[in-house]
């Protein structure tokens, strides 16, 4: 038997095996949805996936299973661009999904496909202080005072923390007659008060909660509630006079879903987020539901009414805000330029 | 050595009398290409997408320079400290017998096995102002966590086994009779150490230093927890790479990586040249 002969036989054998395996899988096919999400949605989607699977089984009789991936929002977007087979994306900011759209996996106008900017639940940015609020922090202006230590992640490495930065910026614009230079100076003052610039929100939480560093922690509202639940009696939430409407958006990744034939389920999966059950679960996991009437009473009561700016009205959307503030040499980099 | 390896690249057949030269060399080259050369070439090709002007602007940007200085500076200091204390540890392990020696010996390798993020978290917990050590040191004005000093501490931990494991076998093989001869010829203990022992283990110390240093330059996992990551103060070069990636700026990220590679390569080459010079001078090879 010659060498090429051997390889041809091996190839035939392998091919046959592949066909056999393929048919075997076909018989037991069930839809598997890969949801690529960011860090703090872990508990929410665990419960929501179970709820949707039950709902889908009842509606169609089909079984749907889930694979969840959690990580920093930007890192997750890069993973999908680099080939992670996500059916749906549920990230912290539209800017990251825009980047995925750039790579051609989904259309550029993805955010108009679902109601409410494709964000079925929202949150906002609040201030977490130590018990009794010893430094008497009431609003953003207190964070810029000398001697106050502020904990927040680096907005360059943490997508979620970009909302923190923008909330402070929106406050400064509002209180300085929309004077951009003054707003920059104000936000610069706050970041000069940051002694530890962690790379992600979970790292910052550790620094503030476990290491005891800092007087105030700028946090997403849902994560502040989580920290309070985890460490009862140690922290208080201070809701500032103005904050920003943080919209974590969701979308189907068209190319992946079409290739895998999961589009129908993936779309239903996201639609169900807007249903009474989806809204109730979001509120339970400390996200502000778009339809508060569906939230349980004790969940709905948690959310304090606060004046909220949107990224679109105040900053011209992520398409503009991202390069202007967080791009290379952008406003955030200028804060740290030497001699300032 | 240099002449024989050079001539092997000439079109003559393999000069070695040992069989298998062609096969082993071919496999080695293929393997090295797959594992090291091709990924590294990728770094330079990606960063070439930046264009020379943009590359130069990035390379001379004060923030990049500050981060590079910090990364290479802390790695050098940590490797230097490790040479002293790694030598001591190796000495104790080779020369003395004591209860628990095997345990001690095994513990040296722990930094190899421990995920570096765990090490970083542990050190931060220790040295934070509310930590075991930090609560004593910070009132004395010695801040370790969230300063460049914290980076050095983490890198000392990461690099220690490289020095110990490089020096240990050489020290174990070292002929005691040389020391005895030195003593009978009237040398003091210090003279014996300085003139007989140190020259013999210098090559292995240099090797350990180079390994610890190279490992420290690229370290990311442990440092981001303990450094504080403040630009111009405690922001390491690998973090700048991650920041560029978050901007979806692959070319910028690989450009910093390329700069680090070039500097590392130059420094490692320098260490190799030192080794060769030492070898020629003393006839002791590493």
């Amino acid at each position: 038997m010659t060498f090429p002969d051997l390889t041809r036989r091996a190839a035939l054998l392998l091919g046959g095996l592949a066909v056999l395996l393929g048919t075997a899988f076909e018989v037991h096919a069930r839809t598997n949805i890969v949801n690529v999400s960011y860090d703090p949605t872990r508990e929410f989607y665990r419960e929501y996936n179970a709820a949707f699977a039950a709902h889908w089984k009842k509606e169609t009789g089909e079984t749907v299973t889930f694979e969840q991936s959690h990580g920093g929002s930007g890192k997750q977007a890069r993973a999908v661009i680099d080939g992670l087979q996500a059916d749906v994306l549920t990230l912290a900011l539209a800017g990251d999904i825009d980047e995925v759209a750039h790579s051609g996996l989904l259309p550029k106008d993805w955010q108009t496909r679902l109601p409410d900017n494709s964000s079925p639940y929202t949150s906002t940015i609040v201030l977490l202080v130590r018990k009794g609020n010893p430094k008497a922090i009431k609003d953003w202006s207190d964070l810029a005072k000398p001697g106050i230590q502020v904990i927040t992640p680096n907005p360059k490495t943490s997508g979620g923390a970009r909302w923190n930065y923008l909330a402070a910026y929106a406050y400064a614009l509002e209180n300085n007659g929309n004077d951009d230079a003054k707003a920059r100076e104000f936000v610069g003052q706050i970041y000069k008060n940051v002694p530890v610039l962690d790379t992600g929100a979970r790292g910052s939480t550790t620094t503030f909660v476990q290491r005891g560093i800092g007087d105030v922690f700028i946090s997403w509202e849902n994560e502040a509630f989580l920290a309070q639940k985890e460490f009862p009696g140690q922290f208080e939430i201070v809701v500032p006079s103005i904050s920003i409407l943080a919209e974590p958006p969701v979308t189907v990744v068209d190319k992946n879903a079409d290739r895998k034939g999961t589009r129908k389920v993936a779309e239903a999966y996201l639609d169900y987020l807007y249903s009474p059950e989806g809204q109730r679960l979001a509120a339970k996991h400390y996200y502000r539901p778009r339809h508060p009437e569906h939230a349980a009473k004790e969940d709905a009561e948690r959310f304090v009414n606060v004046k909220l700016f949107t990224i679109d009205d105040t900053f011209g959307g992520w398409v503009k805000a991202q390069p202007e503030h967080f791009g290379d040499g952008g406003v955030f980099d200028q804060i740290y330029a030497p001699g300032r | 050595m240099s002449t024989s390896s050079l001539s092997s690249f000439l079109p003559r057949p393999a000069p070695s009398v040992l069989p298998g030269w062609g096969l082993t060399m071919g496999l080695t080259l293929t393997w090295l290409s797959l594992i090291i050369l091709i990924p590294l070439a990728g770094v330079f090709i990606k960063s070439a997408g930046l264009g020379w002007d943009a590359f130069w602007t990035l390379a001379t940007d004060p923030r990049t320079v500050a981060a590079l200085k910090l990364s290479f500076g802390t790695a050098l200091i940590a490797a230097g400290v490790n040479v002293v204390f790694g030598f001591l540890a190796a000495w104790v392990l080779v020369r003395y017998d004591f209860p628990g020696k095997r345990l001690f010996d095994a513990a040296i390798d722990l930094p190899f096995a421990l995920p570096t993020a765990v090490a970083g978290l542990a050190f931060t917990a220790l040295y934070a102002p509310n930590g075991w050590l930090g609560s004593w040191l910070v009132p004395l004005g010695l801040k370790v966590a969230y300063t460049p000093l914290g980076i050095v501490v983490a890198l000392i931990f990461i690099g220690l086994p490289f020095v110990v494991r490089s020096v240990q076998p050489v020290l174990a093989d070292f002929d005691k009779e040389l020391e005895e001869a030195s003593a009978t010829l009237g040398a003091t203990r210090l003279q014996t150490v300085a003139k007989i022992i140190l020259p013999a283990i210098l090559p292995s110390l240099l090797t350990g230093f180079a390994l610890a240093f190279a490992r420290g330059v690229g370290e990311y996992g442990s440092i981001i927890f303990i450094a504080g990551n403040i630009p111009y103060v405690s922001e390491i070069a690998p973090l700048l790479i991650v920041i560029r990636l978050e901007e979806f700026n692959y070319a910028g990220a690989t450009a910093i990586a390329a700069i680090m590679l070039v500097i590392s390569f130059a420094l490692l080459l320098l260490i190799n040249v030192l080794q060769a010079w030492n070898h020629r001078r003393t006839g002791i090879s590493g």
Side-chain angles (χ1 to χ4, degrees), chain B residues 127-200:
Chain B
Y127 287 103
N130 64 359
W132 282 0
L133 288 172
S135 55
W136 291 93
L137 293 175
V138 172
L140 297 176
L142 191 64
K143 281 191 193 157
V144 177
Y146 310 119
T147 68
L149 189 57
I151 303 178
V152 173
V153 170
L155 290 183
I156 289 174
F157 173 82
I158 305 284
L160 180 70
F162 289 98
V163 175
V164 178
R165 294 300 181 228
S166 302
V167 175
Q168 209 176 359
V170 180
L171 210 53
D173 284 347
F174 185 67
D175 206 343
K176 270 202 187 131
E177 285 171 18
L178 282 174
E179 282 171 65
E180 285 160 12
S182 160
T184 51
L185 290 172
T188 64
R189 284 183 175 191
L190 209 64
Q191 277 175 323
T192 306
V193 170
K195 304 224 156 157
I196 306 294
I197 298 172
L198 266 185

Side-chain angles (χ1 to χ4, degrees), chain A residues 74-75 77-78 81-82 96 99 154 156-157 194-197 199 207 210-213 326-328 333 336 338, chain B residues 58 62-63 121 124-125 128-130 146 220 224 228-232 235 239 242-250:
Chain A
K75 200 185 293 169
R78 273 202 314 285
I81 293 171
D82 294 342
D96 285 335
E99 287 294 335
N154 187 340
K156 302 276 265 189
T157 50
V194 177
V196 180
L197 207 56
T199 52
T207 301
Q210 316 266 17
R211 310 278 170 260
I213 307 262
F326 311 112
D328 191 18
D333 277 346
Y336 283 103
Chain B
L58 181 68
R63 187 152 159 202
L121 278 171
T124 315
N130 64 359
Y146 310 119
Y220 177 76
I224 51 159
N229 307 322
I230 302 295
Y232 295 100
E235 185 179 61
L239 177 60
V242 174
I243 288 177
R244 296 280 181 260
L245 282 178
E246 293 292 334
E247 290 165 4
F248 299 93
N249 180 356
Y250 289 72

Side-chain angles (χ1 to χ4, degrees), chain B residues 1-10:
Chain B
M1 157 236 156
S2 58
T3 49
S4 67
S5 62
L6 262 183
S7 64
S8 63
F9 283 99
L10 298 177

Side-chain angles (χ1 to χ4, degrees), chain B residues 50 57 72 75 81 100 182 200 210 229 284 286:
Chain B
L50 209 57
T57 313
F72 283 95
V81 172
S182 160
N229 307 322
I284 302 165

Side-chain angles (χ1 to χ4, degrees), chain A residues 13-85:
Chain A
L13 199 73
L14 273 178
L17 260 175
V19 171
L20 270 176
L21 276 174
T23 44
F25 275 116
E26 202 64 49
V27 175
H28 295 285
R30 53 180 182 183
T31 317
N32 186 45
I33 297 286
V34 179
N35 179 357
V36 172
S37 193
Y38 68 113
D39 259 329
T41 59
R42 208 176 295 263
E43 292 81 12
F44 166 58
Y45 275 110
R46 191 179 300 140
E47 199 170 345
Y48 175 77
N49 289 350
F52 177 77
H55 162 77
W56 194 246
K57 184 102 193 168
K58 213 172 87 189
E59 290 277 292
T60 64
E62 291 171 26
T63 306
V64 51
T65 54
F66 295 95
E67 267 172 63
Q68 282 293 141
S69 168
H70 295 273
S73 190
K75 200 185 293 169
Q76 295 290 78
R78 273 202 314 285
V80 173
I81 293 171
D82 294 342
L84 179 62
Q85 299 293 315

Side-chain angles (χ1 to χ4, degrees), chain A residues 292-323:
Chain A
E293 66 273 17
H294 298 312
K297 192 162 164 288
E298 73 270 22
D299 291 332
E301 278 170 353
R302 241 191 325 253
F303 304 113
V304 180
N305 258 331
V306 53
K307 186 172 178 188
L308 295 176
F309 285 88
T310 66
I311 173 105
D312 294 328
D313 294 344
T314 313
F315 297 97
W318 281 109
V319 178
K320 187 163 170 289
Q322 175 66 31

Side-chain angles (χ1 to χ4, degrees), chain B residues 74-95:
Chain B
T74 50
L76 275 174
I77 295 171
V81 172
N82 272 331
V83 161
V84 176
F85 289 95
F87 170 54
L88 258 182
W91 178 267
V92 166
L93 281 173
V94 170
R95 286 301 168 91

